[in-house]
Amino acid sequence: ANSSSLQASTMVSSIVTTTRTTYYQVDAMSPAMPYPGFDAGCNIILPICRTTNQWLGTNPAPANWTAAPYQICEAWPFFFQLPVLMIMLITLLNDGALISIGYDNVIANPIPERWDLGFLFCLATVLGSVGCLASLLLLAMALDSNRAGSVFANVGLPPLEYSKVMTMLYLQVSLTAFLTLFSARTQGDFFWSTPPSLILFTAAMVSLIISTFLASFWPEGNLDGLPVMGLALGDYTLWPLWVWIYCLVWWFIQDMLKVAWFKACSALKFFQPFAV
């Protein structure tokens, strides 16, 4: 179930970016620009910008042009993808936490158990679908944050740079994958019904702390040609807290749907996961 959540979220995040619209803005250090063929405006509040001193216009550079620094701004990509390094970190930290589940506390069943693959497949679909829906919803709200009437604007949150959208989704997918582990381990009971072992709890906390630290303080730069920046960098530093709250809310929703699924299966006798 935990792997299904990670794979579903990763599948959504791995679509290749195709094109960007480029706009050229005047920098205070380059008063002679723009030249013909340049668009001095951008169509969103926080476009993807970088400084250059190279001539990148569609027309030949004028004879009087000097290589003074100016801003290049790009509209956001039409498709979203997470950099490969972020996906690898999610997988590495997630697998590290999963290894420790072999030392978890369990309540032994008084009768022998057998695998019911149909039941497990449907349960993994329930858990994974909740994680995927949470990722898609957060991505949609983050990409829409530059609009005046967006969800973020209505609750008083500032617009996001595209570089922070990247780290926000990285953190959300990471937290959702780790929290799903605690939901899946208790089967038909709520996640708090059986406390995890110290080894499992420690491994999961280490992975959660590392993921949160990376997402919060990732140095500003580029990965796979895409801008990235830590959520705690810049003027607004509370984004990691809001992502944590968002993931915890969805974790409770996920766990309640899991318990409801178990109860429905028992009442309607769809599956017999504990049969001999």
Side-chain angles (χ1 to χ4, degrees), residues 28-146:
M29 301 173 62
S30 182
M33 301 183 70
Y35 294 111
F38 283 61
D39 186 342
C42 288
N43 61 348
I44 61 175
I45 299 173
L46 295 172
I48 302 171
C49 294
R50 61 187 176 92
T51 301
T52 184
N53 59 0
Q54 298 179 349
W55 175 264
L56 299 175
T58 55
N59 299 328
N64 64 343
W65 180 76
T66 57
Y70 64 99
Q71 286 291 105
I72 300 176
C73 295
E74 299 173 327
W76 289 6
F78 294 109
F79 298 95
F80 180 81
Q81 66 172 13
L82 278 179
V84 174
L85 178 59
M86 288 186 173
I87 297 176
M88 291 178 61
L89 286 171
I90 293 172
T91 305
L92 178 64
L93 293 172
N94 183 263
D95 288 349
L98 279 175
I99 291 174
S100 64
I101 203 170
Y103 301 91
D104 191 22
N105 298 326
V106 296
I107 299 176
N109 199 325
I111 60 175
E113 298 187 31
R114 66 174 177 84
W115 291 103
D116 190 326
L117 296 182
F119 175 83
L120 293 176
F121 176 81
C122 291
L123 178 60
T125 301
V126 171
L127 295 175
S129 297
V130 174
C132 184
L133 177 61
S135 297
L136 287 173
L137 182 60
L138 182 62
L139 176 61
M141 292 189 296
L143 292 177
D144 191 49
S145 65
N146 276 247

Side-chain angles (χ1 to χ4, degrees), residues 246-261:
Y246 179 85
C247 291
L248 289 174
V249 170
W250 276 99
W251 183 32
F252 277 89
I253 295 173
Q254 182 187 57
D255 204 57
M256 287 188 291
L257 289 176
K258 177 205 69 175
V259 173
W261 169 254

